[in-house]
Structure formats: C-alpha cells, structure tokens
Amino acid sequence: MLDAFIIEEIRRREQERDNQRQRVDLPLPEPTPQRQNERREEDEQPQRGVIIIDYSVPADSIPA
C-alpha cells in the first residue's frame, strides 16, 4: 500500500501536468435573442400530412 505522501505527490504532479497543457478556446456564436412569448410562424403551424397506402390489387392483374 502506498504512503499518503506518495499518493498526494502523484495527485499534485497530475494536476500540475494538466494545468500546463494549453487550452483551446473556441469562439461560440451568440444565439439570437428571442423573447420568451415570441413564437415563429413555423412553431405555431407544424407540418402535417396524410399518407394513404392502397394494398388492394385489382382482380384482373392477378396471374392465373
């Protein structure tokens, strides 16, 4: 089992190594401000539709 001093020394070295790494800050685009009650036209009327699938087969197209 490792001595507490050794464990602390390992943690300190790991933190020191992590702090020395260069960090890259990416510029993030600012979201456009929007009022909470303001809704866009798209939000009010979602796109809807109907799909009709006809599984019936005419009797004259069935091979005998």
Side-chain angles (χ1 to χ4, degrees):
M1 189 162 157
L2 294 176
D3 189 19
F5 172 76
I6 296 173
I7 294 172
E8 279 300 314
E9 187 67 20
I10 292 171
R11 285 185 186 154
R12 186 185 63 77
R13 288 182 185 179
E14 286 177 350
Q15 285 180 344
E16 196 174 284
R17 185 187 64 214
D18 290 343
N19 290 339
Q20 289 178 354
R21 289 185 188 166
Q22 290 183 358
R23 296 186 182 187
V24 177
D25 291 330
L26 297 176
L28 297 176
E30 293 287 328
T32 56
Q34 189 176 18
R35 292 184 193 168
Q36 194 170 16
N37 294 333
E38 185 179 312
R39 292 186 179 173
R40 295 187 299 192
E41 194 173 310
E42 298 169 359
D43 295 338
E44 293 176 7
Q45 298 176 0
Q47 292 183 353
R48 293 184 169 194
V50 175
I51 298 176
I52 300 173
I53 301 174
D54 185 8
Y55 288 108
S56 63
V57 178
D60 59 340
S61 67
I62 299 176

Short mmCIF file of all heavy atoms in Angstrom, two decimals:
data_model
loop_
_atom_site.label_atom_id
_atom_site.label_comp_id
_atom_site.label_asym_id
_atom_site.label_seq_id
_atom_site.Cartn_x
_atom_site.Cartn_y
_atom_site.Cartn_z
N MET A 1 0.86 -1.18 0.00
CA MET A 1 0.00 0.00 0.00
C MET A 1 0.90 1.24 0.00
O MET A 1 1.92 1.28 0.68
CB MET A 1 -0.88 -0.02 1.24
CG MET A 1 -1.92 1.02 1.23
SD MET A 1 -3.18 0.59 2.42
CE MET A 1 -3.84 2.18 2.71
N LEU A 2 0.49 2.25 -0.79
CA LEU A 2 1.29 3.46 -0.90
C LEU A 2 1.07 4.39 0.28
O LEU A 2 -0.02 4.47 0.84
CB LEU A 2 0.94 4.21 -2.19
CG LEU A 2 1.30 3.51 -3.50
CD1 LEU A 2 0.81 4.33 -4.67
CD2 LEU A 2 2.79 3.29 -3.60
N ASP A 3 2.10 5.07 0.65
CA ASP A 3 2.05 6.04 1.72
C ASP A 3 1.21 7.24 1.26
O ASP A 3 1.14 7.57 0.09
CB ASP A 3 3.48 6.49 2.06
CG ASP A 3 3.54 7.33 3.32
OD1 ASP A 3 2.58 7.28 4.10
OD2 ASP A 3 4.55 8.04 3.48
N ALA A 4 0.53 7.90 2.20
CA ALA A 4 -0.32 9.05 1.88
C ALA A 4 0.47 10.16 1.20
O ALA A 4 -0.02 10.84 0.30
CB ALA A 4 -1.00 9.57 3.13
N PHE A 5 1.72 10.34 1.61
CA PHE A 5 2.57 11.36 1.00
C PHE A 5 2.79 11.07 -0.49
O PHE A 5 2.73 11.96 -1.34
CB PHE A 5 3.92 11.44 1.72
CG PHE A 5 4.89 12.33 1.02
CD1 PHE A 5 4.78 13.71 1.11
CD2 PHE A 5 5.93 11.79 0.26
CE1 PHE A 5 5.68 14.53 0.45
CE2 PHE A 5 6.83 12.62 -0.40
CZ PHE A 5 6.70 13.99 -0.30
N ILE A 6 3.01 9.82 -0.81
CA ILE A 6 3.25 9.43 -2.20
C ILE A 6 1.99 9.64 -3.03
O ILE A 6 2.04 10.15 -4.16
CB ILE A 6 3.74 7.97 -2.28
CG1 ILE A 6 5.09 7.84 -1.58
CG2 ILE A 6 3.82 7.50 -3.73
CD1 ILE A 6 5.58 6.42 -1.45
N ILE A 7 0.85 9.29 -2.49
CA ILE A 7 -0.43 9.49 -3.19
C ILE A 7 -0.66 10.97 -3.46
O ILE A 7 -1.03 11.37 -4.56
CB ILE A 7 -1.59 8.88 -2.38
CG1 ILE A 7 -1.43 7.35 -2.32
CG2 ILE A 7 -2.93 9.26 -2.99
CD1 ILE A 7 -2.41 6.67 -1.40
N GLU A 8 -0.43 11.81 -2.46
CA GLU A 8 -0.58 13.26 -2.63
C GLU A 8 0.40 13.80 -3.66
O GLU A 8 0.05 14.67 -4.46
CB GLU A 8 -0.40 13.99 -1.31
CG GLU A 8 -1.62 13.99 -0.42
CD GLU A 8 -2.83 14.64 -1.08
OE1 GLU A 8 -2.69 15.74 -1.67
OE2 GLU A 8 -3.91 14.04 -1.03
N GLU A 9 1.60 13.30 -3.66
CA GLU A 9 2.61 13.75 -4.63
C GLU A 9 2.18 13.38 -6.05
O GLU A 9 2.32 14.18 -6.97
CB GLU A 9 3.97 13.12 -4.29
CG GLU A 9 5.11 13.63 -5.11
CD GLU A 9 5.45 15.09 -4.85
OE1 GLU A 9 5.07 15.63 -3.79
OE2 GLU A 9 6.10 15.69 -5.73
N ILE A 10 1.64 12.20 -6.23
CA ILE A 10 1.17 11.78 -7.55
C ILE A 10 0.02 12.68 -8.00
O ILE A 10 -0.01 13.13 -9.15
CB ILE A 10 0.74 10.29 -7.52
CG1 ILE A 10 1.97 9.39 -7.32
CG2 ILE A 10 0.00 9.92 -8.81
CD1 ILE A 10 1.62 7.94 -7.06
N ARG A 11 -0.92 12.95 -7.13
CA ARG A 11 -2.05 13.84 -7.46
C ARG A 11 -1.57 15.24 -7.82
O ARG A 11 -2.03 15.85 -8.77
CB ARG A 11 -3.03 13.92 -6.30
CG ARG A 11 -3.87 12.71 -6.14
CD ARG A 11 -4.90 12.92 -5.05
NE ARG A 11 -5.62 11.68 -4.81
CZ ARG A 11 -6.20 11.36 -3.68
NH1 ARG A 11 -6.16 12.19 -2.66
NH2 ARG A 11 -6.83 10.23 -3.54
N ARG A 12 -0.62 15.75 -7.05
CA ARG A 12 -0.09 17.09 -7.30
C ARG A 12 0.58 17.16 -8.66
O ARG A 12 0.36 18.10 -9.42
CB ARG A 12 0.90 17.48 -6.21
CG ARG A 12 1.40 18.92 -6.31
CD ARG A 12 2.46 19.24 -5.29
NE ARG A 12 3.68 18.44 -5.46
CZ ARG A 12 4.61 18.67 -6.41
NH1 ARG A 12 4.45 19.64 -7.26
NH2 ARG A 12 5.69 17.92 -6.48
N ARG A 13 1.35 16.14 -9.00
CA ARG A 13 2.03 16.11 -10.30
C ARG A 13 1.04 16.01 -11.45
O ARG A 13 1.20 16.63 -12.49
CB ARG A 13 3.02 14.96 -10.35
CG ARG A 13 4.24 15.19 -9.49
CD ARG A 13 5.22 14.06 -9.59
NE ARG A 13 6.33 14.25 -8.66
CZ ARG A 13 7.33 13.41 -8.52
NH1 ARG A 13 7.36 12.29 -9.22
NH2 ARG A 13 8.29 13.66 -7.67
N GLU A 14 -0.01 15.21 -11.26
CA GLU A 14 -1.03 15.09 -12.31
C GLU A 14 -1.74 16.42 -12.52
O GLU A 14 -1.98 16.83 -13.65
CB GLU A 14 -2.03 14.00 -11.96
CG GLU A 14 -1.48 12.60 -12.12
CD GLU A 14 -2.47 11.54 -11.70
OE1 GLU A 14 -3.53 11.86 -11.10
OE2 GLU A 14 -2.18 10.36 -11.96
N GLN A 15 -2.09 17.12 -11.44
CA GLN A 15 -2.74 18.42 -11.56
C GLN A 15 -1.81 19.43 -12.21
O GLN A 15 -2.23 20.23 -13.06
CB GLN A 15 -3.17 18.94 -10.19
CG GLN A 15 -4.39 18.26 -9.65
CD GLN A 15 -4.78 18.81 -8.28
OE1 GLN A 15 -3.99 19.48 -7.63
NE2 GLN A 15 -5.99 18.50 -7.85
N GLU A 16 -0.56 19.40 -11.85
CA GLU A 16 0.41 20.32 -12.43
C GLU A 16 0.56 20.07 -13.93
O GLU A 16 0.60 21.00 -14.72
CB GLU A 16 1.76 20.11 -11.73
CG GLU A 16 2.76 21.21 -11.95
CD GLU A 16 3.99 20.97 -11.09
OE1 GLU A 16 3.90 21.21 -9.87
OE2 GLU A 16 5.01 20.51 -11.65
N ARG A 17 0.59 18.80 -14.31
CA ARG A 17 0.70 18.45 -15.73
C ARG A 17 -0.55 18.90 -16.50
O ARG A 17 -0.45 19.44 -17.59
CB ARG A 17 0.87 16.94 -15.87
CG ARG A 17 1.11 16.50 -17.31
CD ARG A 17 1.11 15.00 -17.46
NE ARG A 17 -0.23 14.52 -17.13
CZ ARG A 17 -0.48 13.36 -16.53
NH1 ARG A 17 0.49 12.56 -16.20
NH2 ARG A 17 -1.71 12.99 -16.27
N ASP A 18 -1.73 18.72 -15.90
CA ASP A 18 -2.98 19.14 -16.54
C ASP A 18 -3.04 20.66 -16.68
O ASP A 18 -3.55 21.18 -17.67
CB ASP A 18 -4.19 18.65 -15.76
CG ASP A 18 -4.37 17.14 -15.87
OD1 ASP A 18 -3.77 16.54 -16.79
OD2 ASP A 18 -5.11 16.57 -15.05
N ASN A 19 -2.54 21.39 -15.69
CA ASN A 19 -2.57 22.84 -15.73
C ASN A 19 -1.60 23.41 -16.76
O ASN A 19 -1.79 24.52 -17.25
CB ASN A 19 -2.27 23.43 -14.36
CG ASN A 19 -3.41 23.18 -13.38
OD1 ASN A 19 -4.53 22.94 -13.78
ND2 ASN A 19 -3.09 23.23 -12.10
N GLN A 20 -0.56 22.68 -17.08
CA GLN A 20 0.43 23.17 -18.04
C GLN A 20 -0.01 22.97 -19.48
O GLN A 20 0.55 23.57 -20.39
CB GLN A 20 1.78 22.48 -17.81
CG GLN A 20 2.46 22.94 -16.55
CD GLN A 20 3.78 22.22 -16.34
OE1 GLN A 20 4.12 21.31 -17.06
NE2 GLN A 20 4.50 22.64 -15.31
N ARG A 21 -1.00 22.16 -19.72
CA ARG A 21 -1.48 21.93 -21.08
C ARG A 21 -2.12 23.21 -21.62
O ARG A 21 -2.82 23.92 -20.90
CB ARG A 21 -2.53 20.83 -21.11
CG ARG A 21 -1.98 19.46 -20.87
CD ARG A 21 -3.07 18.44 -21.04
NE ARG A 21 -2.59 17.13 -20.62
CZ ARG A 21 -3.38 16.11 -20.41
NH1 ARG A 21 -4.68 16.25 -20.53
NH2 ARG A 21 -2.89 14.95 -20.05
N GLN A 22 -1.90 23.45 -22.88
CA GLN A 22 -2.53 24.61 -23.50
C GLN A 22 -3.98 24.29 -23.77
O GLN A 22 -4.32 23.22 -24.26
CB GLN A 22 -1.83 24.96 -24.80
CG GLN A 22 -0.45 25.51 -24.62
CD GLN A 22 0.16 25.92 -25.94
OE1 GLN A 22 -0.45 25.76 -26.98
NE2 GLN A 22 1.35 26.45 -25.88
N ARG A 23 -4.82 25.25 -23.48
CA ARG A 23 -6.24 25.06 -23.70
C ARG A 23 -6.67 25.89 -24.89
O ARG A 23 -6.22 27.01 -25.08
CB ARG A 23 -7.04 25.46 -22.48
CG ARG A 23 -6.74 24.57 -21.30
CD ARG A 23 -7.62 24.86 -20.15
NE ARG A 23 -7.23 24.01 -19.04
CZ ARG A 23 -7.87 23.92 -17.91
NH1 ARG A 23 -8.94 24.66 -17.73
NH2 ARG A 23 -7.46 23.12 -16.97
N VAL A 24 -7.53 25.31 -25.68
CA VAL A 24 -8.03 26.00 -26.86
C VAL A 24 -9.44 26.48 -26.56
O VAL A 24 -10.32 25.69 -26.21
CB VAL A 24 -8.04 25.05 -28.08
CG1 VAL A 24 -8.62 25.74 -29.29
CG2 VAL A 24 -6.64 24.54 -28.35
N ASP A 25 -9.65 27.78 -26.69
CA ASP A 25 -10.98 28.34 -26.52
C ASP A 25 -11.57 28.62 -27.89
O ASP A 25 -11.03 29.42 -28.66
CB ASP A 25 -10.92 29.64 -25.71
CG ASP A 25 -10.54 29.38 -24.26
OD1 ASP A 25 -10.87 28.30 -23.77
OD2 ASP A 25 -9.92 30.27 -23.65
N LEU A 26 -12.65 27.93 -28.19
CA LEU A 26 -13.30 28.12 -29.48
C LEU A 26 -14.37 29.20 -29.34
O LEU A 26 -15.17 29.17 -28.41
CB LEU A 26 -13.95 26.81 -29.95
CG LEU A 26 -13.00 25.66 -30.20
CD1 LEU A 26 -13.79 24.41 -30.56
CD2 LEU A 26 -12.03 26.00 -31.29
N PRO A 27 -14.40 30.14 -30.27
CA PRO A 27 -15.45 31.16 -30.20
C PRO A 27 -16.79 30.55 -30.59
O PRO A 27 -16.93 29.95 -31.65
CB PRO A 27 -15.00 32.21 -31.22
CG PRO A 27 -14.13 31.47 -32.17
CD PRO A 27 -13.49 30.36 -31.39
N LEU A 28 -17.74 30.65 -29.72
CA LEU A 28 -19.07 30.11 -29.98
C LEU A 28 -19.98 31.25 -30.44
O LEU A 28 -19.96 32.33 -29.85
CB LEU A 28 -19.64 29.46 -28.73
CG LEU A 28 -18.86 28.27 -28.20
CD1 LEU A 28 -19.47 27.77 -26.90
CD2 LEU A 28 -18.82 27.15 -29.21
N PRO A 29 -20.78 31.01 -31.46
CA PRO A 29 -21.68 32.07 -31.92
C PRO A 29 -22.75 32.36 -30.87
O PRO A 29 -23.26 31.44 -30.21
CB PRO A 29 -22.29 31.50 -33.19
CG PRO A 29 -22.15 30.02 -33.07
CD PRO A 29 -20.92 29.79 -32.24
N GLU A 30 -23.05 33.62 -30.72
CA GLU A 30 -24.08 34.02 -29.76
C GLU A 30 -25.46 33.67 -30.32
O GLU A 30 -25.74 33.94 -31.49
CB GLU A 30 -24.00 35.53 -29.52
CG GLU A 30 -22.75 35.97 -28.80
CD GLU A 30 -22.76 35.59 -27.34
OE1 GLU A 30 -23.85 35.55 -26.73
OE2 GLU A 30 -21.67 35.32 -26.81
N PRO A 31 -26.32 33.06 -29.53
CA PRO A 31 -27.67 32.77 -30.04
C PRO A 31 -28.43 34.08 -30.21
O PRO A 31 -28.24 35.03 -29.45
CB PRO A 31 -28.29 31.90 -28.95
CG PRO A 31 -27.50 32.19 -27.73
CD PRO A 31 -26.12 32.58 -28.19
N THR A 32 -29.28 34.11 -31.20
CA THR A 32 -30.05 35.32 -31.42
C THR A 32 -31.06 35.47 -30.29
O THR A 32 -31.75 34.52 -29.93
CB THR A 32 -30.80 35.26 -32.76
OG1 THR A 32 -31.61 34.09 -32.77
CG2 THR A 32 -29.84 35.22 -33.94
N PRO A 33 -31.13 36.65 -29.71
CA PRO A 33 -32.07 36.85 -28.61
C PRO A 33 -33.51 36.73 -29.11
O PRO A 33 -33.86 37.22 -30.18
CB PRO A 33 -31.76 38.25 -28.11
CG PRO A 33 -30.99 38.91 -29.18
CD PRO A 33 -30.38 37.85 -30.02
N GLN A 34 -34.31 36.04 -28.33
CA GLN A 34 -35.71 35.84 -28.70
C GLN A 34 -36.55 35.96 -27.44
O GLN A 34 -36.20 35.39 -26.42
CB GLN A 34 -35.89 34.47 -29.36
CG GLN A 34 -37.24 34.26 -29.97
CD GLN A 34 -37.32 32.92 -30.70
OE1 GLN A 34 -36.50 32.04 -30.47
NE2 GLN A 34 -38.28 32.77 -31.55
N ARG A 35 -37.60 36.69 -27.56
CA ARG A 35 -38.48 36.84 -26.39
C ARG A 35 -39.11 35.50 -26.07
O ARG A 35 -39.34 34.67 -26.95
CB ARG A 35 -39.57 37.86 -26.68
CG ARG A 35 -39.06 39.24 -26.81
CD ARG A 35 -40.20 40.19 -26.98
NE ARG A 35 -39.73 41.48 -27.42
CZ ARG A 35 -40.50 42.43 -27.86
NH1 ARG A 35 -41.80 42.25 -27.93
NH2 ARG A 35 -39.99 43.58 -28.23
N GLN A 36 -39.42 35.32 -24.83
CA GLN A 36 -39.97 34.04 -24.40
C GLN A 36 -41.36 33.80 -25.00
O GLN A 36 -41.70 32.70 -25.36
CB GLN A 36 -40.04 33.99 -22.88
CG GLN A 36 -40.27 32.61 -22.35
CD GLN A 36 -40.09 32.55 -20.85
OE1 GLN A 36 -40.08 33.58 -20.19
NE2 GLN A 36 -39.96 31.37 -20.32
N ASN A 37 -42.16 34.85 -25.11
CA ASN A 37 -43.51 34.71 -25.63
C ASN A 37 -43.56 34.84 -27.15
O ASN A 37 -44.60 34.60 -27.75
CB ASN A 37 -44.44 35.75 -25.01
CG ASN A 37 -44.61 35.52 -23.53
OD1 ASN A 37 -44.48 34.40 -23.06
ND2 ASN A 37 -44.88 36.57 -22.79
N GLU A 38 -42.46 35.22 -27.76
CA GLU A 38 -42.42 35.40 -29.20
C GLU A 38 -42.27 34.05 -29.87
O GLU A 38 -41.37 33.28 -29.58
CB GLU A 38 -41.25 36.31 -29.57
CG GLU A 38 -41.18 36.65 -31.02
CD GLU A 38 -40.00 37.57 -31.31
OE1 GLU A 38 -39.83 38.56 -30.58
OE2 GLU A 38 -39.27 37.25 -32.25
N ARG A 39 -43.17 33.75 -30.77
CA ARG A 39 -43.11 32.48 -31.48
C ARG A 39 -42.99 32.75 -32.97
O ARG A 39 -43.55 33.70 -33.49
CB ARG A 39 -44.37 31.65 -31.24
CG ARG A 39 -44.49 31.16 -29.84
CD ARG A 39 -45.67 30.25 -29.72
NE ARG A 39 -45.77 29.74 -28.38
CZ ARG A 39 -46.78 29.02 -27.95
NH1 ARG A 39 -47.79 28.76 -28.75
NH2 ARG A 39 -46.81 28.58 -26.71
N ARG A 40 -42.29 31.87 -33.61
CA ARG A 40 -42.19 31.98 -35.05
C ARG A 40 -43.40 31.32 -35.68
O ARG A 40 -44.08 30.50 -35.08
CB ARG A 40 -40.91 31.32 -35.54
CG ARG A 40 -39.66 32.02 -35.06
CD ARG A 40 -38.44 31.45 -35.68
NE ARG A 40 -38.33 30.01 -35.32
CZ ARG A 40 -37.27 29.29 -35.51
NH1 ARG A 40 -36.22 29.82 -36.07
NH2 ARG A 40 -37.23 28.03 -35.16
N GLU A 41 -43.65 31.66 -36.92
CA GLU A 41 -44.80 31.11 -37.63
C GLU A 41 -44.68 29.59 -37.76
O GLU A 41 -45.66 28.87 -37.70
CB GLU A 41 -44.90 31.76 -39.01
CG GLU A 41 -46.21 31.51 -39.69
CD GLU A 41 -46.34 32.31 -40.97
OE1 GLU A 41 -46.09 33.52 -40.94
OE2 GLU A 41 -46.67 31.69 -41.99
N GLU A 42 -43.44 29.10 -37.91
CA GLU A 42 -43.22 27.67 -38.05
C GLU A 42 -43.64 26.92 -36.79
O GLU A 42 -44.13 25.80 -36.84
CB GLU A 42 -41.76 27.39 -38.35
CG GLU A 42 -41.28 27.99 -39.64
CD GLU A 42 -39.76 27.92 -39.75
OE1 GLU A 42 -39.12 27.42 -38.82
OE2 GLU A 42 -39.24 28.37 -40.77
N ASP A 43 -43.41 27.54 -35.61
CA ASP A 43 -43.74 26.88 -34.35
C ASP A 43 -45.24 26.74 -34.17
O ASP A 43 -45.71 25.79 -33.56
CB ASP A 43 -43.15 27.67 -33.18
CG ASP A 43 -41.63 27.67 -33.19
OD1 ASP A 43 -41.06 26.76 -33.82
OD2 ASP A 43 -41.04 28.58 -32.59
N GLU A 44 -46.00 27.69 -34.69
CA GLU A 44 -47.44 27.67 -34.49
C GLU A 44 -48.13 26.64 -35.38
O GLU A 44 -49.13 26.06 -35.00
CB GLU A 44 -48.02 29.06 -34.74
CG GLU A 44 -47.56 30.08 -33.72
CD GLU A 44 -48.06 31.47 -34.03
OE1 GLU A 44 -48.86 31.62 -34.97
OE2 GLU A 44 -47.63 32.39 -33.33
N GLN A 45 -47.61 26.44 -36.59
CA GLN A 45 -48.26 25.54 -37.52
C GLN A 45 -47.29 24.44 -37.95
O GLN A 45 -46.55 24.59 -38.91
CB GLN A 45 -48.74 26.32 -38.74
CG GLN A 45 -49.77 27.36 -38.41
CD GLN A 45 -50.13 28.19 -39.64
OE1 GLN A 45 -49.61 27.96 -40.72
NE2 GLN A 45 -51.03 29.12 -39.46
N PRO A 46 -47.27 23.32 -37.21
CA PRO A 46 -46.36 22.24 -37.59
C PRO A 46 -46.81 21.62 -38.92
O PRO A 46 -47.99 21.62 -39.26
CB PRO A 46 -46.49 21.24 -36.45
CG PRO A 46 -47.80 21.52 -35.84
CD PRO A 46 -48.06 22.99 -36.04
N GLN A 47 -45.86 21.11 -39.67
CA GLN A 47 -46.19 20.48 -40.94
C GLN A 47 -46.87 19.15 -40.67
O GLN A 47 -46.39 18.34 -39.88
CB GLN A 47 -44.94 20.26 -41.77
CG GLN A 47 -44.32 21.53 -42.25
CD GLN A 47 -43.12 21.25 -43.14
OE1 GLN A 47 -42.69 20.12 -43.28
NE2 GLN A 47 -42.58 22.30 -43.74
N ARG A 48 -47.98 18.97 -41.32
CA ARG A 48 -48.73 17.72 -41.17
C ARG A 48 -49.07 17.18 -42.54
O ARG A 48 -49.13 17.92 -43.52
CB ARG A 48 -50.02 17.95 -40.38
CG ARG A 48 -49.77 18.32 -38.95
CD ARG A 48 -51.04 18.44 -38.21
NE ARG A 48 -50.77 18.53 -36.79
CZ ARG A 48 -51.68 18.38 -35.87
NH1 ARG A 48 -52.92 18.14 -36.19
NH2 ARG A 48 -51.36 18.47 -34.60
N GLY A 49 -49.36 15.93 -42.60
CA GLY A 49 -49.73 15.33 -43.87
C GLY A 49 -50.36 13.97 -43.65
O GLY A 49 -50.36 13.43 -42.55
N VAL A 50 -50.90 13.43 -44.72
CA VAL A 50 -51.55 12.13 -44.67
C VAL A 50 -50.97 11.28 -45.78
O VAL A 50 -50.78 11.75 -46.90
CB VAL A 50 -53.08 12.26 -44.87
CG1 VAL A 50 -53.74 10.91 -44.93
CG2 VAL A 50 -53.68 13.11 -43.76
N ILE A 51 -50.67 10.03 -45.48
CA ILE A 51 -50.22 9.08 -46.48
C ILE A 51 -51.24 7.97 -46.55
O ILE A 51 -51.60 7.36 -45.54
CB ILE A 51 -48.83 8.50 -46.12
CG1 ILE A 51 -47.80 9.60 -46.08
CG2 ILE A 51 -48.45 7.41 -47.10
CD1 ILE A 51 -46.44 9.14 -45.64
N ILE A 52 -51.73 7.73 -47.76
CA ILE A 52 -52.70 6.66 -47.97
C ILE A 52 -52.01 5.57 -48.77
O ILE A 52 -51.50 5.81 -49.86
CB ILE A 52 -53.94 7.18 -48.73
CG1 ILE A 52 -54.60 8.27 -47.90
CG2 ILE A 52 -54.90 6.03 -49.01
CD1 ILE A 52 -55.73 8.98 -48.61
N ILE A 53 -52.00 4.35 -48.22
CA ILE A 53 -51.40 3.21 -48.90
C ILE A 53 -52.52 2.26 -49.28
O ILE A 53 -53.26 1.77 -48.41
CB ILE A 53 -50.38 2.49 -47.99
CG1 ILE A 53 -49.28 3.48 -47.60
CG2 ILE A 53 -49.79 1.28 -48.69
CD1 ILE A 53 -48.30 2.94 -46.60
N ASP A 54 -52.64 2.00 -50.56
CA ASP A 54 -53.70 1.13 -51.07
C ASP A 54 -53.10 -0.24 -51.33
O ASP A 54 -52.30 -0.42 -52.24
CB ASP A 54 -54.29 1.74 -52.35
CG ASP A 54 -55.48 0.96 -52.86
OD1 ASP A 54 -55.95 0.04 -52.15
OD2 ASP A 54 -55.93 1.28 -53.97
N TYR A 55 -53.48 -1.21 -50.50
CA TYR A 55 -52.96 -2.57 -50.64
C TYR A 55 -53.86 -3.44 -51.53
O TYR A 55 -53.56 -4.61 -51.76
CB TYR A 55 -52.83 -3.24 -49.27
CG TYR A 55 -51.69 -2.67 -48.45
CD1 TYR A 55 -51.94 -1.88 -47.34
CD2 TYR A 55 -50.37 -2.93 -48.78
CE1 TYR A 55 -50.91 -1.36 -46.59
CE2 TYR A 55 -49.33 -2.42 -48.05
CZ TYR A 55 -49.60 -1.64 -46.94
OH TYR A 55 -48.57 -1.13 -46.19
N SER A 56 -54.92 -2.89 -51.99
CA SER A 56 -55.81 -3.71 -52.81
C SER A 56 -55.19 -3.92 -54.20
O SER A 56 -54.54 -3.04 -54.75
CB SER A 56 -57.19 -3.04 -52.95
OG SER A 56 -57.06 -1.80 -53.63
N VAL A 57 -55.39 -5.11 -54.73
CA VAL A 57 -54.86 -5.48 -56.04
C VAL A 57 -56.05 -5.79 -56.94
O VAL A 57 -56.91 -6.60 -56.57
CB VAL A 57 -53.92 -6.71 -55.94
CG1 VAL A 57 -53.41 -7.11 -57.32
CG2 VAL A 57 -52.80 -6.44 -55.00
N PRO A 58 -56.12 -5.16 -58.10
CA PRO A 58 -57.25 -5.46 -58.98
C PRO A 58 -57.25 -6.95 -59.37
O PRO A 58 -56.20 -7.56 -59.56
CB PRO A 58 -57.02 -4.60 -60.22
CG PRO A 58 -55.94 -3.62 -59.83
CD PRO A 58 -55.24 -4.16 -58.63
N ALA A 59 -58.44 -7.53 -59.49
CA ALA A 59 -58.57 -8.96 -59.76
C ALA A 59 -58.04 -9.33 -61.15
O ALA A 59 -57.53 -10.44 -61.34
CB ALA A 59 -60.03 -9.39 -59.64
N ASP A 60 -58.12 -8.44 -62.11
CA ASP A 60 -57.67 -8.77 -63.46
C ASP A 60 -56.15 -8.75 -63.59
O ASP A 60 -55.61 -9.25 -64.58
CB ASP A 60 -58.30 -7.82 -64.47
CG ASP A 60 -57.98 -6.36 -64.20
OD1 ASP A 60 -57.61 -6.04 -63.05
OD2 ASP A 60 -58.09 -5.55 -65.13
N SER A 61 -55.39 -8.23 -62.60
CA SER A 61 -53.93 -8.21 -62.71
C SER A 61 -53.28 -9.41 -62.04
O SER A 61 -52.07 -9.58 -62.13
CB SER A 61 -53.39 -6.93 -62.11
OG SER A 61 -53.62 -6.92 -60.72
N ILE A 62 -54.05 -10.30 -61.40
CA ILE A 62 -53.51 -11.49 -60.75
C ILE A 62 -53.35 -12.58 -61.81
O ILE A 62 -54.30 -12.95 -62.49
CB ILE A 62 -54.44 -11.98 -59.61
CG1 ILE A 62 -54.59 -10.89 -58.55
CG2 ILE A 62 -53.90 -13.28 -59.00
CD1 ILE A 62 -55.56 -11.23 -57.45
N PRO A 63 -52.14 -13.13 -61.96
CA PRO A 63 -51.94 -14.21 -62.93
C PRO A 63 -52.66 -15.48 -62.51
O PRO A 63 -52.70 -15.80 -61.32
CB PRO A 63 -50.44 -14.44 -63.00
CG PRO A 63 -49.87 -13.73 -61.83
CD PRO A 63 -50.91 -12.76 -61.32
N ALA A 64 -53.21 -16.19 -63.46
CA ALA A 64 -53.99 -17.38 -63.14
C ALA A 64 -53.14 -18.61 -63.03
O ALA A 64 -52.08 -18.80 -63.37
CB ALA A 64 -55.06 -17.62 -64.21
#
